[in-house]
Amino acid sequence: MKSLDIYGTLGPSLHTQDALYEMLCMGMNGVRLNLSHVDLTDCEEWLYAFHKAQEHAGVQAKLLIDMKGPELRVGRLREPVLLEERQTVELGKDIPIPVELLAHTAVQQRLLLDDGRILLEVKQVREDALLCTVLHGGVLKSGKSLAPVNGHIELPTLTESDIRNLKAARQYGVTGIMQPFVRNAQDLITVKETLKSIENPDLQVYAKIENMEGVAHLKELFPYCDQIVIARGDLGNAMPLWELPAVQKRIQDICRVHSMPYMVVTQMLDSMMEHPVPTRAEVSDIFHAVYHGASSIMLTGETAAGKYPREAMKYFSETAKSALVCREEVL
């Protein structure tokens, strides 16, 4: 669509040539591949299907890889784990976690898992585990986000797997990278220097704003990235949730004043993970994101693992189209 990039996310629910072709015909013009717990080489069949679907549809779409970066995630589980309210769970034994969390967590610290869907409170810190009580339960799967409430753990900008994937990016047709948890300009300078050192400096850099440090340093990021990503999942974990809309608007306003393109992402059609029709609030959220100037919007779990990926993309693209028409009429 004119002046707007519409992204889906590859995954078990979206990886075949037919499904990708259908979504490209609906208006999707880019896809995201989450590399939090896989490498590019693990996804060769999906990427081949994506490139073939582009040929069939006669379009040239973007391919973004979402890096691990300085992000805490749950490790690999043998099967999804049901966490029930008031249950006691041992992080580090029952559920694998990064070792960094053990060294930087205190008693009464609260931990948000899976973009805030699950809330735990630390009751005891042991040498090899955190004994926690479940405050808000849910089903936890491998690789889901993990964030301390009002906490901060210093982690390197790029992991070994990030660098490995950046070196392979060109051969898979990657057009840009999404750098998670950008904290300041130095994070992006590190990314840029790494891209230059591996002779792939032309990859676009999308800076994901997922913490208040990134919000505070927003304007200093602009010279070192091509687009700002308002990543509302972990950003919403960094504050009381009712403050998130105001922070999103502040980021949007600053980006518009400085002519910096920005993307809005996370839970835009979250109900369609399970249902074939979205809520009125969700389509309003999409409409206003586009109407007020977003350069890109993205579906994540809705297409990657949802029950209704095609229907989700249909509602997503049609709502965005409606917003573009209104925006152009006003202008």
Side-chain angles (χ1 to χ4, degrees):
M1 292 183 188
K2 184 179 178 182
S3 74
L4 181 69
D5 286 332
I6 296 179
Y7 289 91
T9 296
L10 294 172
S13 297
L14 177 61
H15 63 271
T16 66
Q17 183 178 330
D18 288 346
L20 287 160
Y21 169 77
E22 188 175 349
M23 290 196 186
L24 290 169
C25 292
M26 289 178 188
M28 182 182 78
N29 51 17
V31 297
R32 160 186 174 261
L33 178 59
N34 185 4
L35 298 182
S36 293
H37 33 75
V38 295
D39 279 355
L40 276 168
T41 53
D42 300 319
C43 305
E44 287 184 343
E45 291 185 9
W46 293 2
L47 296 174
Y48 177 79
F50 173 57
H51 292 303
K52 295 301 290 185
Q54 290 180 70
E55 292 177 18
H56 189 198
V59 300
Q60 188 170 1
K62 296 180 179 179
L63 172 58
L64 303 184
I65 52 174
D66 202 342
M67 314 304 287
K68 282 187 178 179
E71 181 175 26
L72 296 171
R73 285 187 176 270
V74 172
R76 187 171 296 278
L77 301 168
R78 285 180 292 180
E79 58 183 6
V81 176
L82 174 61
L83 299 177
E84 299 182 298
E85 192 172 328
R86 294 190 295 276
Q87 175 185 346
T88 297
V89 61
E90 286 188 278
L91 298 185
K93 289 190 175 180
D94 301 334
I95 297 170
I97 58 172
V99 294
E100 293 88 350
L101 192 66
L102 292 170
H104 295 86
T105 303
V107 172
Q108 295 187 325
Q109 172 70 60
R110 293 190 171 190
L111 303 171
L112 288 160
L113 287 74
D114 192 9
D115 287 339
R117 292 181 176 89
I118 297 171
L119 178 64
L120 309 181
E121 184 173 75
V122 177
K123 295 300 183 181
Q124 185 179 353
V125 179
R126 299 175 179 169
E127 185 175 336
D128 59 349
L130 301 174
L131 189 67
C132 302
T133 298
V134 179
L135 301 182
H136 298 155
V139 177
L140 182 65
K141 298 179 181 179
S142 298
K144 293 301 181 180
S145 62
L146 197 167
V149 177
N150 299 322
H152 177 75
I153 297 175
E154 197 68 33
L155 295 169
T157 302
L158 294 169
T159 67
E160 291 183 9
S161 67
D162 285 337
I163 295 172
R164 185 168 62 246
N165 285 313
L166 289 176
K167 289 179 178 178
R170 190 192 303 273
Q171 72 186 77
Y172 290 103
V174 174
T175 58
I177 69 168
M178 301 180 74
Q179 178 60 29
F181 284 90
V182 172
R183 299 160 290 195
N184 48 50
Q186 186 56 52
D187 278 342
L188 296 181
I189 291 170
T190 298
V191 171
K192 288 283 193 178
E193 289 177 345
T194 301
L195 291 174
K196 186 176 180 180
S197 71
I198 61 175
E199 299 181 350
N200 202 0
D202 297 327
L203 281 180
Q204 290 198 317
V205 175
Y206 291 65
K208 295 176 73 176
I209 306 303
E210 302 184 269
N211 52 44
M212 292 310 295
E213 188 175 357
V215 175
H217 295 98
L218 185 66
K219 287 187 281 188
E220 76 178 53
L221 308 180
F222 293 169
Y224 306 104
C225 66
D226 298 280
Q227 198 158 146
I228 293 294
V229 180
I230 306 173
R232 302 179 299 181
D234 282 293
L235 185 58
N237 292 339
M239 66 195 77
L241 200 53
W242 54 83
E243 294 180 7
L244 178 61
V247 173
Q248 175 177 332
K249 186 178 187 303
R250 189 195 323 165
I251 296 171
Q252 292 175 170
D253 290 346
I254 294 171
C255 286
R256 284 199 299 270
V257 166
H258 292 270
S259 299
M260 169 55 66
Y262 66 88
M263 175 190 293
V264 179
V265 63
T266 310
Q267 295 182 344
M268 301 196 82
L269 288 174
D270 190 61
S271 70
M272 294 192 74
M273 294 289 292
E274 297 289 338
H275 303 288
V277 177
T279 67
R280 275 62 175 163
E282 287 169 336
V283 292
S284 294
D285 179 45
I286 297 162
F287 181 94
H288 286 291
V290 175
Y291 181 80
H292 290 295
S295 300
S296 307
I297 54 175
M298 177 181 286
L299 292 178
T300 52
E302 299 94 335
T303 61
K307 291 182 179 178
Y308 302 96
R310 291 172 174 82
E311 292 85 349
M313 183 54 69
K314 181 70 172 178
Y315 278 102
F316 201 48
S317 60
E318 290 298 323
T319 305
K321 187 186 301 181
S322 174
L324 282 178
V325 169
C326 281
R327 193 168 82 183
E328 290 172 1
E329 287 175 350
V330 171
L331 295 175

